[in-house]
Amino acid sequence: MQQKSNISNSVIRRLPRYYRFLGELLKTGITKISSRELSEKMRLTASQIRQDLNCFGGFGQQGYGYNVAELRREIAHILGLDNMRKIILIGAGNLGRAITMHVDFQKYGYELIGIFDSNIAMEGIEIAGISILHTNRLKAFCEENRPQMAVLCIPRSGAKDAVMSLMSYGVKAFWNFSHYDINFDFPEADVENVHLTDSLMTLSYTAKNHAERDSEE
Amino acid sequence: MQQKSNISNSVIRRLPRYYRFLGELLKTGITKISSRELSEKMRLTASQIRQDLNCFGGFGQQGYGYNVAELRREIAHILGLDNMRKIILIGAGNLGRAITMHVDFQKYGYELIGIFDSNIAMEGIEIAGISILHTNRLKAFCEENRPQMAVLCIPRSGAKDAVMSLMSYGVKAFWNFSHYDINFDFPEADVENVHLTDSLMTLSYTAKNHAERDSEE
């Protein structure tokens, strides 16, 4: 499969959606789909779907459609989901615990191998089969187990120091829930920020403007 | 403050970030800031910041900069954060519980007034001071308390039925963690989708391509 270089960020951001969606099709027993059908179900235009998938060398055959399982496998490969990666989680508070229990890391190519918290009272507590370790064990753990990624579920205040330590231990990619702008201080790190409350604020805007529109009508 | 109509989605999506950022400035005692300083700290261009804020009638004064507290208050108003809205949460599993405990709803103009779960064994368990109710109490609760919004933390399978019921009880806006495409069946609903694992997949892509880039150098 010939992959174009310089694929736009917006195409990349749509791939997880294709991946999820194709998985749902497979579950319901659908093995082939045309770009038109895919576009109706995903609420994208058929030409956008063809363009998106063409960025990766094209998968469909004219007049035949896409093989769902094959397309999904290729997208998994493009996203790197078929490469098992070791990940650790920092901060076993409410959010950290929920992510541990709720997110099926394995399904997305991640092996969660350690959970750390700076609260010594939490050491030894087990979440999803993993015992929490105190952060003073982080360095030795990283040297021994070589995780490449970390989920950051700590408050903003401690995040910079935590990232500095993790980077020095070889962790270079972060799934960041901390509201700390990692790339501001560490431009070389790979970062995905999750700002849960940003979407809550956007919903507030949408609902407010919907209500104002209605009252004008 | 004169607000333009037809503000682009990408401007709206940046407003929560401004709001967060200005809050952090206030905490550190900064009361005035120029668009240049703001741009350096937020890693946007100064002209983008001026353009964004001009969409809402402009706030800064030439050669003086922005009054941080005033700008933040105006953004809060634009986003509708100063309008207290009643919200309920459906699905008190790991994720629902974490959101209840982790998200400071009040700070963003929401009053969390009820938590519902279809598991009768959970009824009466208290999270963050709110007792879980069985979903068979949902209709009566909505008639009495008139929530306008719901956080949806249930699996995809039950989501359509849940939304149909909620819409009929007057709930029209959804903070949706369920991986169910609400607007596909209910185009009139206001929806903010949170697909946590999409960002985990994007991180996988970024890290994979970073590694490939490094190995080519």
Side-chain angles (χ1 to χ4, degrees), chain A residues 1-70:
Chain A
M1 207 59 59
Q2 201 57 36
Q3 200 176 317
K4 282 188 199 169
S5 50
N6 296 323
I7 296 155
S8 82
N9 209 286
S10 53
V11 177
I12 301 302
R13 299 240 154 233
R14 276 195 292 273
L15 286 183
R17 202 168 144 211
Y18 286 112
Y19 182 77
R20 272 192 285 117
F21 197 81
L22 294 164
E24 285 157 18
L25 289 180
L26 278 183
K27 266 192 223 160
T28 57
I30 295 171
T31 58
K32 276 182 209 172
I33 192 160
S34 68
S35 50
R36 192 182 48 75
E37 286 169 304
L38 199 54
S39 77
E40 280 164 14
K41 298 202 184 223
M42 292 190 68
R43 298 190 296 125
L44 293 166
T45 67
S47 84
Q48 184 163 41
I49 286 181
R50 281 191 296 265
Q51 264 178 35
D52 282 356
L53 301 181
N54 271 337
C55 285
F56 302 101
F59 300 100
Q61 279 174 257
Q62 196 75 38
Y64 170 92
Y66 296 103
N67 176 318
V68 175
E70 192 190 314

Side-chain angles (χ1 to χ4, degrees), chain A residues 116-118 120 123 133-141 169:
Chain A
F116 294 83
D117 201 281
S118 60
I120 192 79
E123 190 157 45
L133 296 173
H134 189 258
T135 37
N136 66 14
R137 310 265 294 267
L138 188 55
K139 188 179 180 204
F141 183 94
Y169 308 155

Side-chain angles (χ1 to χ4, degrees), chain A residues 7 12-13 16-17 19-20 24 40-41 43 77-81 85 94-95 98 101-103 105 108 110 149 156 174-175 177 179 181 183-184 188 190 192 194-208 210, chain B residues 7 12-13 16-17 19-20 24 40-41 43 77-81 85 94-95 98 101-103 105 108 110 149 156 174-175 177 179 181 183-184 188 190 192 194-208 210:
Chain A
I7 296 155
I12 301 302
R13 299 240 154 233
R17 202 168 144 211
Y19 182 77
R20 272 192 285 117
E24 285 157 18
E40 280 164 14
K41 298 202 184 223
R43 298 190 296 125
H77 179 69
I78 291 161
L79 288 170
L81 309 182
R85 284 197 188 81
N94 292 323
L95 185 67
M101 292 187 286
H102 179 78
V103 173
F105 284 96
Y108 302 103
Y110 293 87
M149 300 189 163
R156 193 174 187 281
F174 299 88
W175 198 23
F177 290 78
H179 286 224
D181 182 356
N183 281 142
F184 186 79
E188 71 280 24
D190 293 323
E192 267 291 310
V194 183
H195 293 298
L196 283 181
T197 48
D198 281 15
S199 80
L200 190 58
M201 291 192 252
T202 308
L203 180 62
S204 173
Y205 177 88
T206 311
K208 181 191 166 197
H210 195 154
Chain B
I7 295 156
I12 302 302
R13 298 241 153 233
R17 201 168 144 213
Y19 182 76
R20 272 192 285 116
E24 286 158 17
E40 280 163 14
K41 298 202 185 224
R43 298 189 297 125
H77 179 68
I78 291 161
L79 288 170
L81 308 183
R85 284 198 188 81
N94 292 324
L95 186 67
M101 291 188 285
H102 179 79
V103 173
F105 283 95
Y108 301 104
Y110 294 87
M149 300 189 164
R156 192 173 188 282
F174 298 87
W175 197 23
F177 290 79
H179 287 220
D181 183 356
N183 281 142
F184 185 80
E188 71 280 23
D190 292 323
E192 266 290 310
V194 183
H195 293 298
L196 283 181
T197 49
D198 281 15
S199 78
L200 190 58
M201 290 192 251
T202 308
L203 180 62
S204 174
Y205 177 86
T206 311
K208 181 191 166 199
H210 196 153

Side-chain angles (χ1 to χ4, degrees), chain A residues 121-189:
Chain A
M122 297 191 77
E123 190 157 45
I125 294 174
E126 214 172 89
I127 316 174
I130 300 172
S131 287
I132 298 173
L133 296 173
H134 189 258
T135 37
N136 66 14
R137 310 265 294 267
L138 188 55
K139 188 179 180 204
F141 183 94
C142 290
E143 283 169 354
E144 193 179 339
N145 299 287
R146 303 262 159 233
Q148 297 138 286
M149 300 189 163
V151 189
L152 223 57
C153 300
I154 55 179
R156 193 174 187 281
S157 55
K160 184 173 175 177
D161 287 345
V163 172
M164 199 176 330
S165 300
L166 286 162
M167 294 283 289
S168 75
Y169 308 155
V171 175
K172 308 283 189 199
F174 299 88
W175 198 23
N176 180 28
F177 290 78
S178 78
H179 286 224
Y180 159 64
D181 182 356
I182 295 176
N183 281 142
F184 186 79
D185 295 306
F186 307 96
E188 71 280 24

